[in-house]
Amino acid sequence: MTNITDDVLLLLQCPITRQPLVKAKSELLDRANGMIHRNQLTNRLGEIVDRLLDEGLVDEAGEWLYPVRDGIVCLSADEAILQDRFDIEEDEAKA
């Protein structure tokens, strides 16, 4: 797992909404991974997400999830995963 400090998080922002990012809760990642197993999760481009998520960052409004892969935060807007399909409250998504 990556060790993103609060100081680093203060520097990061969502490339779509320009909002600050927070660490995603494990409940959100579990739901996303369940959808990945069923080939039901797509990114902003509509591509199927096929790699399980160990970590992720969420924008402050709880709209977008950004994967962390091999310890690297993927802040490409194209890689963003819209959270509304997870059917959870925004406060549940943030650690």
Side-chain angles (χ1 to χ4, degrees):
M1 287 186 78
T2 195
N3 205 4
I4 301 171
T5 65
D6 291 338
D7 290 337
V8 171
L9 276 176
L10 290 174
L11 301 173
L12 300 178
Q13 67 179 2
C14 173
I16 299 169
T17 65
R18 302 289 185 229
Q19 295 175 350
L21 296 171
V22 296
K23 293 178 184 179
K25 284 188 175 181
S26 60
E27 293 85 358
L28 173 68
L29 298 173
D30 289 345
R31 288 185 188 201
N33 285 332
M35 293 180 72
I36 291 169
H37 276 296
R38 296 186 300 276
N39 291 321
Q40 295 176 331
L41 191 62
T42 58
N43 62 22
R44 190 167 181 236
L45 291 179
E47 299 169 336
I48 299 276
V49 177
D50 58 2
R51 287 182 63 187
L52 295 178
L53 306 175
D54 293 325
E55 293 181 272
L57 298 179
V58 178
D59 72 331
E60 197 170 56
E63 292 181 69
W64 296 99
L65 169 66
Y66 293 90
V68 177
R69 294 193 180 116
D70 301 320
I72 299 170
V73 181
C74 299
L75 284 180
S76 165
D78 293 343
E79 296 282 332
I81 300 166
L82 189 60
Q83 288 190 68
D84 69 353
R85 58 190 67 191
F86 296 148
D87 192 34
I88 61 170
E89 297 296 322
E90 80 177 57
D91 287 339
E92 286 183 58
K94 298 183 243 178

